Amino acid sequence: MISGNDMESSSVMMIGRKGSWLAGAAGALIAAHAPAQIAVSVNDGKQPRAGESDFRARPDNLAVIDMRRYPPRVTGTVDVPGSMIGPPTSVAMARDGSFAIVTSAQKADPADPAKFVLDNKVSLIDLTDPTAPKLVQTVEAGDGASGVAINRAGTMALVAATGDGTISVFSIAARRLTLIDTLQLDKAPGPVDIALSPDGKTAVVTQRRGNAIWRLAIDGTKVTDTGVTFPTGVNPYGSVFSRDGRYAYSTNLQGRIPAEGAPPPRGGRIGTVTAIDLRTNRIAATVEVGPLPEHVALSADGRYLAVVVVNGSAASPTSPAYSPFGLLKVYRVNGATLTSVAEAQTGQWAQGATWSDDGRTLLLQSAASRQIEVYRFDGKALVRDPAATLTFDTRPAAITTALSR
């Protein structure tokens, strides 16, 4: 409270009220022109779990989740081809939140619905009305279409295909996809995910069956292989760029590359997250995070990295690798330095995670329970809120917001 005579106090109060009104008006104006904060979850309706006796296939779909309020809630859904097979980056959202792109790596075999074959579908979803998302186009990429990335301008999308080793380059205009180029990479390592730098000039591609990541160069709509690879670890899977674009952080499902002739570690491999310095083209750091890290998600401000660790929870209960829970871990980010801050046990068969814009809420996909779990984060502790859980009749497989990558 400001001390002084009554006249001075009255003047301050009047200025304060006027300032509050102006701030409120400015906030409303900004809100009117800013995209609503939403997440989209791609859910696989055809993927059974081993030993599941009562499984019934349903259509794959995309669910829109409103994160402007707490707890988050589903506002709309639309059927679209999707797949749990592949990284939880098989969906990307435009920076302005107006559309999303979904890939499908596998589909039911037309000759035998109990089996699966590679798929190549890429779909564009109109999110102009989050309560009524619309499938407006489906096109084809390479077989096993998996990771997808959209540039900041919303004019280009890249899709990595594990089955044929290609990167499909699409232009985007008026919410329509046009295939303009296909880059052929080595098929054997299986390119599974692709991430774009903030300036749109660099992409990194993870190798599902290899031990390295490719670096690609982008000039306009021309995408080329630079010949530079990073030996990050065994089975690289997903990746994300730092907000300044200098570093890329990638998961390695099977951890560090063993020394030549070294025996396999007892108890299975510990997965890792690797920080790549793209200024020097060197591995800057590697952190052990746990068995089978599926996904890395950076907070909107770039200060925290969430890591989803399956931790044996997708294994059969009779397997020696089985665990009744997965793990969600949060690391503080300072360039190449990742410092453990918090972790929580999650549901089984965890897939992807994404942050609210303010960094206080995390959504975590649990495929086994067909749920999205909600966690609160205060910079120190990570706490699940069971009352906020979102439940589906399909398996959550991939998730994103406009600021995820």
Side-chain angles (χ1 to χ4, degrees), residues 223-385:
V223 182
T224 56
D225 185 357
T226 65
V228 175
T229 59
F230 309 100
T232 58
V234 181
N235 298 149
Y237 204 51
S239 58
V240 64
F241 277 86
S242 62
R243 296 307 180 197
D244 62 4
R246 175 169 177 176
Y247 298 94
Y249 310 104
S250 70
T251 62
N252 305 286
L253 296 177
Q254 300 294 327
R256 300 176 187 270
I257 298 174
E260 187 174 354
R266 293 182 179 179
R269 296 188 182 278
I270 302 299
T272 57
V273 171
T274 299
I276 304 165
D277 188 336
L278 294 161
R279 187 177 298 173
T280 63
N281 281 337
R282 294 179 180 273
I283 303 300
T286 296
V287 177
E288 293 186 344
V289 297
L292 289 180
E294 278 262 350
H295 193 210
V296 280
L298 200 63
S299 61
D301 61 11
R303 295 175 59 197
Y304 296 100
L305 187 74
V307 183
V308 179
V309 184
V310 177
N311 191 45
S313 64
S316 167
T318 60
S319 168
Y322 172 75
S323 169
F325 57 86
L327 295 170
L328 177 60
K329 298 189 174 187
V330 174
Y331 292 82
R332 184 177 292 108
V333 177
N334 182 12
T337 303
L338 303 179
T339 304
S340 179
V341 174
E343 72 173 69
Q345 295 182 0
T346 73
Q348 296 180 335
W349 207 1
Q351 294 297 298
T354 197
W355 295 84
S356 61
D357 287 356
D358 64 8
R360 297 180 179 180
T361 303
L362 273 158
L363 304 182
L364 183 284
Q365 296 176 311
S366 173
S369 61
R370 299 183 178 90
Q371 293 179 330
I372 291 181
E373 300 168 357
V374 180
Y375 294 80
R376 301 293 279 169
F377 178 64
D378 63 1
K380 297 179 181 179
L382 190 62
V383 179
R384 183 183 174 189
D385 182 356

Side-chain angles (χ1 to χ4, degrees), residues 162-227:
T162 306
D164 60 10
T166 60
I167 303 298
S168 296
V169 183
F170 293 93
S171 65
I172 308 171
R175 298 195 184 98
R176 303 291 293 183
L177 296 166
T178 302
L179 181 65
I180 57 175
D181 197 9
T182 301
L183 176 64
Q184 182 67 58
L185 298 175
D186 185 357
K187 177 181 176 180
V192 69
D193 188 28
I194 187 163
L196 270 166
S197 62
D199 64 8
K201 296 181 179 180
T202 301
V204 292
V205 180
T206 53
Q207 301 177 359
R208 175 63 179 88
R209 296 183 294 272
N211 297 339
I213 287 177
W214 284 288
R215 178 172 184 164
L216 309 181
I218 303 170
D219 184 4
T221 58
K222 185 63 177 177
V223 182
T224 56
D225 185 357
T226 65

